[in-house]
Amino acid sequence: MSQVSRVLVAGAGIGGLCAALALAKQGMKAVVLEQAEQLGEVGAGLQISPNAFKVLRQLGLESELTPFAFVPQQAVIRDYKTGEYYFRSALGSAAEARYGAPYWHLHRADLHQVLVNACVRCGVELMLNAEVSSYEENVLLNQVAVLLKDGREFVADVLVGADGLHSKVREQMLGKERPTFMGQVAWRGVIPVNDLKVNIKPDACVWAGPGRHFVSYFLRGGHYVNFVAVEERSDWQSESWREEGDVEELKRAFTGWHPEVSDLLTSATSTFLWALNGRDELPTWHKGRVVLLGDACHPMLPFMAQGAAMAIEDAYVLARCLCAYSLTDAFMHYEQVRKPRATKVQKMSKTNAGLYHMHGGLLGKMKLKALQAAGRFAPDVIQSKLDGVYGYSVLHNR
Ligand SMILES: Cc1cc2nc3c(=O)[nH]c(=O)nc-3n(C[C@H](O)[C@H](O)[C@H](O)COP(=O)(O)OP(=O)(O)OC[C@H]3O[C@@H](n4cnc5c(N)ncnc54)[C@H](O)[C@@H]3O)c2cc1C
């Protein structure tokens, strides 16, 4: 039986907003504390796979999101130079039939705005300029007090740390430890289709090459193309983990690539550069009245396009557990369901780095050729790996 009526959520990212919405829909009061002065998301795309989509649908967001979606027809891996296909997997109506939910591309800003609107409608309180600096549990009162940087204090039954990669909540719970730079940087950008000098196929496309890869896909009904260009680097000098990128440097990094990549990049006028960071599996995701979700506890390389999807799944399971069980049992069940799942997807994402970047030279190319052969002769084996990720449903996992 639930002992929780008021929850503080640190962070109004996709994970924090989903958690607040799911909690509000279970009848709990959710207050979101966000450090930013304004709500909003940087211009970039997100692939929303069926496993995450099922949660968004359950939260009642499908019809509001539909006008912003693009439905890719297949997921492909192609050679950076020749364009040869190493892998193809049908998406579109095939994904919907197989998984009971579609595979979509969304602009982060659109998903974020729809979540904000839904939260407001459900009575979630969104506080801006609210940077969480620490928390303190009061065992006698069965409460947790959250202290903001500006001195304000908020009290609730539970604190959810959905404050991303550099989570202050995680730091206090488990100690100060910087995330690990994963030896990769990513440029991201969005280009209006009218500006393109090349025809792009309606696929979620990964271009694999030595030490780098390039991802492109459509957004917003096909009016924009999103790109993510990843390059291996030995270090990251900047203090910030995201900064404005140099478009010319990006174009130079992909010179000599297939014309669908190099011609697409000629139309790019601005980009942001991300350092890709990770963390080893945490010993625990909860302590006392405090619990973590999303990038705060399992940041991952974006090479399965599952970071936000995992945060969305976490949010739903956490809200359901808080509603169904006592606090101790709720956190225990939440971690039992979510930790193995997120850790598995984290590992799969890391493995893809080697494949997409042709690690091992000729051996790397042979692995892609082996994937191509498996797609022809044993497609079920490949499909079953994807099924484990996309076919999973937190709605049925208790
Ligand atoms: C290049 C790239 C491509 C990606 N592509 C995909 C994809 O296609 N599909 C997918 O599912 N995932 C993708 N991801 C991963 C995804 O973006 C993240 O996993 C996801 O956004 C994590 O959400 P979150 O809510 O946990 O954290 P965040 O989005 O980081 O949100 C954290 C929030 O907390 C706030 N905050 C931080 N500290 C404090 C504080 N002390 N007090 C108050 N507020 C605070 C922040 O301002 C922010 O609003 C990609 C990531 C990258 C880098």
Side-chain angles (χ1 to χ4, degrees), residues 184-189 212-216 226-232 250 253-254 261 265 271-274 276 303 357:
Q184 328 248 358
V185 296
W187 286 275
R188 294 168 105 176
R212 341 188 129 89
H213 77 273
F214 189 88
V215 182
S216 56
N226 182 77
F227 68 82
V228 183
V230 177
E231 179 183 63
E232 291 180 6
L250 161 64
F254 289 84
V261 175
L265 282 177
T271 179
F272 267 88
L273 184 63
W274 262 258
L276 299 184
F303 304 164
H357 294 177

Side-chain angles (χ1 to χ4, degrees), residues 120-166:
V120 170
R121 277 198 307 271
C122 285
V124 172
E125 220 174 305
L126 294 173
M127 313 274 307
L128 301 178
N129 270 320
E131 182 177 341
V132 172
S133 63
S134 64
Y135 62 82
E136 195 173 344
E137 289 198 49
N138 186 327
V139 183
L140 289 179
L141 294 178
N142 291 328
Q143 282 179 336
V144 55
V146 172
L147 192 69
L148 301 191
K149 198 179 167 197
D150 61 14
R152 280 178 293 165
E153 195 180 283
F154 291 82
V155 173
D157 303 315
V158 164
L159 167 64
V160 178
D163 48 347
L165 179 69
H166 300 280

Side-chain angles (χ1 to χ4, degrees), residues 69 96 99 106 123 152 177 215 233 255 279 302 310 318 346 365 376 379 392 397:
E96 189 150 5
Y99 302 120
L106 286 173
R152 280 178 293 165
E177 199 179 332
V215 182
R233 291 222 182 140
T255 306
R279 281 189 194 281
M310 289 301 109
L318 179 61
Q346 227 177 359
K365 194 127 184 184
R376 267 194 215 123
Y392 182 95
N397 245 290

Side-chain angles (χ1 to χ4, degrees), residues 289-357:
R289 300 191 157 263
V290 185
V291 65
L292 302 171
L293 65 74
D295 277 11
C297 52
H298 51 66
M300 58 185 73
L301 285 170
F303 304 164
M304 287 287 296
Q306 284 293 314
M310 289 301 109
I312 292 168
E313 289 187 359
D314 289 348
Y316 185 81
V317 175
L318 179 61
R320 190 180 58 207
C321 289
L322 282 173
C323 184
Y325 304 112
S326 71
L327 189 62
T328 316
D329 286 352
F331 284 177
M332 193 187 73
H333 276 273
Y334 165 68
E335 186 171 314
Q336 266 173 6
V337 171
R338 296 303 306 153
K339 205 156 174 266
R341 163 91 173 146
T343 306
K344 183 176 160 200
V345 176
Q346 227 177 359
K347 285 185 184 147
M348 288 172 86
S349 306
K350 209 167 165 186
T351 306
N352 273 354
L355 189 70
Y356 293 174
H357 294 177

Side-chain angles (χ1 to χ4, degrees), residues 79-80 86 208-212 232 353-370:
D79 186 88
Y80 75 110
Y86 293 123
R212 341 188 129 89
E232 291 180 6
L355 189 70
Y356 293 174
H357 294 177
M358 296 182 175
H359 283 173
L362 194 58
L363 183 68
K365 194 127 184 184
M366 280 164 63
K367 280 189 184 157
L368 283 162
K369 284 281 188 189

Side-chain angles (χ1 to χ4, degrees), residues 275-287:
L276 299 184
N277 288 286
R279 281 189 194 281
D280 289 339
E281 185 182 345
L282 301 182
T284 181
W285 287 8
H286 64 90
K287 214 176 199 175

Side-chain angles (χ1 to χ4, degrees), residues 75 77 85-90 366-384 386:
I77 303 177
Y85 285 83
Y86 293 123
F87 171 80
R88 290 174 197 252
S89 173
M366 280 164 63
K367 280 189 184 157
L368 283 162
K369 284 281 188 189
L371 180 69
Q372 188 182 53
R376 267 194 215 123
F377 303 114
D380 292 351
V381 176
I382 309 282
Q383 197 61 52
S384 72
L386 293 179

